[in-house]
Amino acid sequence: MIIRHVTVIDGTGADPIADAEVVVADGRFSAVRPAASAERADGDGPVIDGRGGYLVPGLWEGHTHLSGYLLQRPESERASFFTRLMADFVAAGVTSVTDLGGPIGLREELRGYLAGVSGPVPELLFSGPVFTGIEGWPVLDMKERASFAYQTDNADQAYRQALELADRVDFVKCVYDGEPGTPGKLPFEALKAIVAAAHEKGKNVVAHIHHRSELEEAVRAGVDGIEHAFLPDDAGSRAEALDVAALLSETNTYYCPTLAAWEQLGRSGDEAYLRELIDDGFLTEADVPQIISRPIWGRPFPHHPADECRVRLRYALDTLGYLHDAGVRIAAGSDIALALPSPPKALLRELRLLAEAGLPRASVLAAGTRHVAGKIGREATAGTITPTAVADAVLLDADPLADVAHLTDLAHHVGTLRQGRWDGELPGA
Ligand SMILES: [Zn+2]
């Protein structure tokens, strides 16, 4: 397949290439070259005329919980729910989805649901069960989540479990959150042991954190990525953000703030929030009854009080620019779709919030593409439009570097390329 006469924003951070042509072969990009030099090579397949369009790498959801969404449905509806969800992701330009914690058998369960699906589906990447303390987050007393976690208070045991797990998953996740010294908190020595085991197996480790001190300790333990914007000790001062910016930059640690999660948890039950989502194009009036009828709408969420979530969101929106300016690689992940109609919409909201936090639009795009690939150790093969990368891309009808809405508003999406297969109407060839 050849996509001709498009402006390519290849996702490496390089300048856009105007009037380019992109050649796809065997599910991968094989060439990106000026259209003027175009020669029709035999076997290149259909030619798509992308005139006036902008081709960007396929989006990555960097933090979601597929098993969380599935558990809300009766078993008989899970297969149809999941196949529809996968189609929605691709239709929204999301070609890779990373799952941040679920039972070890989740990959096989989901594969089963997709048997017989012929359309393109996103690549799914799994952490498998997370490491946490004894009855630590996300298990607490929710028995149905016991299979989501290795609960441990012992570094040797954690090391052995992590060695075994690392062979079966794409990356490893630890939850480093809780009162220090209590059984519910993963001990620091266990965190270090898990990092050592995963790195021995060539797998990256990300850590869910809560307070700034936990972020600092997790970085000291050697994790590759931090999940969630940290809660500052003093929200009135920028000093903590500057320290964190220097630390993450120095250690090349990725940062996935999940702003959309803090926004939804902090503003659950707030009708003005739904109004804003409608104004910003993430929700329609028709979605509202369904959202306010969800059992979780307006109810306290376990472990995350709403006022605290608002502090995390506000502080992150105000200070993410410092992290960006220090060179920290920020990754996009939405975590939940509580007030948003669907998980793909939650990711698009995350991208919008990153722009509102002051990230330049090229960095918003990097956050939604190669930085997610990077945090889980996949930057070599995916996340950009460069020869040999997996041919995942989104064709937009307007410049996403001129206005973030051109990326986050589905009205600007022409179609999605997933492993070299086109999803959407074919523009005139
Ligand atoms: Zn999460």
Side-chain angles (χ1 to χ4, degrees):
M1 178 188 287
I2 298 181
I3 304 169
R4 204 163 261 180
H5 303 302
V6 281
T7 299
V8 173
I9 301 172
D10 70 8
T12 64
D15 286 340
I17 311 159
D19 196 24
E21 94 171 2
V22 175
V23 185
V24 175
D26 299 326
R28 290 181 181 264
F29 295 116
S30 60
V32 181
R33 58 195 181 203
S37 73
E39 273 175 48
R40 177 68 194 258
D42 286 341
D44 278 346
V47 178
I48 292 175
D49 188 346
R51 213 173 292 266
Y54 290 78
L55 195 71
V56 303
L59 300 176
W60 287 59
E61 166 56 91
H63 187 136
T64 192
H65 295 277
L66 297 172
S67 42
Y69 295 124
L70 286 164
L71 275 178
Q72 294 166 19
R73 269 99 195 156
E75 233 171 299
S76 60
E77 291 172 18
R78 287 182 194 164
S80 61
F81 164 78
F82 184 69
T83 49
R84 202 170 48 240
L85 176 59
M86 293 298 100
D88 285 352
F89 268 123
V90 172
V94 184
T95 50
S96 302
V97 174
T98 50
D99 185 88
L100 276 269
I104 189 69
L106 184 62
R107 189 195 298 268
E108 279 62 45
E109 182 188 346
L110 300 183
R111 273 209 188 121
Y113 294 152
L114 292 176
V117 170
S118 59
V121 295
E123 174 164 32
L124 299 175
L125 301 134
F126 298 91
S127 74
V130 306
F131 286 90
T132 189
I134 309 297
E135 296 204 350
W137 180 254
V139 179
L140 303 181
D141 54 359
M142 292 178 274
K143 294 282 173 273
E144 74 275 16
R145 291 186 176 181
S147 65
F148 290 21
Y150 290 103
Q151 304 173 47
T152 186
D153 57 4
N154 179 298
D156 292 336
Q157 181 197 41
Y159 177 77
R160 288 193 304 274
Q161 287 172 327
L163 276 183
E164 221 173 273
L165 176 69
D167 282 332
R168 303 180 65 186
V169 295
D170 299 294
F171 61 103
V172 172
K173 180 185 174 189
C174 297
V175 173
Y176 196 60
D177 178 351
E179 276 307 307
T182 61
K185 178 149 194 182
L186 189 66
F188 178 72
E189 291 305 321
L191 179 61
K192 263 177 39 186
I194 294 159
V195 171
H199 285 177
E200 240 173 81
K201 296 280 190 177
K203 297 287 162 74
N204 278 10
V205 181
V206 299
H208 156 122
I209 57 90
H210 190 161
H211 295 275
R212 177 185 46 84
S213 56
E214 289 162 338
L215 178 151
E216 289 169 352
E217 286 169 32
V219 171
R220 208 143 48 76
V223 304
D224 304 284
I226 293 291
E227 299 299 316
H228 306 310
F230 68 90
L231 178 69
D233 292 333
D234 176 5
S237 156
R238 303 296 147 93
E240 288 171 71
L242 289 166
D243 287 350
V244 164
L247 177 68
L248 295 178
S249 156
E250 232 168 71
T251 52
N252 279 319
T253 310
Y254 287 88
Y255 190 58
C256 182
T258 66
L259 304 175
W262 307 124
E263 185 183 51
Q264 291 173 87
L265 295 174
R267 302 192 66 186
S268 179
D270 175 356
E271 280 179 27
Y273 174 44
L274 296 183
R275 183 63 37 207
E276 276 175 47
L277 290 175
I278 291 171
D279 290 346
D280 291 347
F282 293 94
L283 206 61
T284 65
E285 296 282 358
D287 294 321
V288 171
Q290 200 268 328
I291 282 165
I292 61 180
S293 71
R294 292 176 181 175
I296 193 71
W297 177 247
R299 302 266 175 80
F301 191 85
H303 196 62
H304 295 299
D307 51 353
E308 189 189 274
C309 294
R310 288 193 295 272
V311 173
R312 289 175 91 162
L313 174 66
R314 187 71 262 158
Y315 194 78
L317 286 173
D318 290 344
T319 62
L320 218 47
Y322 298 143
L323 277 70
H324 175 268
D325 293 349
V328 177
R329 290 170 297 183
I330 295 164
S334 67
D335 204 355
I336 53 169
L338 180 65
L340 287 155
S342 69
K345 286 267 173 132
L347 174 65
L348 297 173
R349 180 68 181 172
E350 180 72 16
L351 296 173
R352 165 79 179 234
L353 290 172
L354 290 172
E356 280 180 20
L359 259 60
R361 293 177 198 110
S363 302
V364 172
L365 187 61
T369 55
R370 74 174 191 277
H371 287 174
V372 177
K375 87 168 178 173
I376 60 164
R378 294 288 294 263
E379 63 274 47
T381 53
T384 59
I385 302 177
T386 52
T388 75
V390 177
D392 291 349
V394 193
L395 182 60
L396 307 168
D397 71 1
D399 185 359
L401 302 184
D403 186 337
V404 76
H406 297 161
L407 182 66
T408 62
D409 184 341
L410 293 182
H412 291 289
H413 287 221
V414 179
T416 304
L417 196 63
R418 165 65 187 138
Q419 272 182 323
R421 292 172 70 195
W422 183 260
D423 183 72
E425 275 177 44
L426 271 183

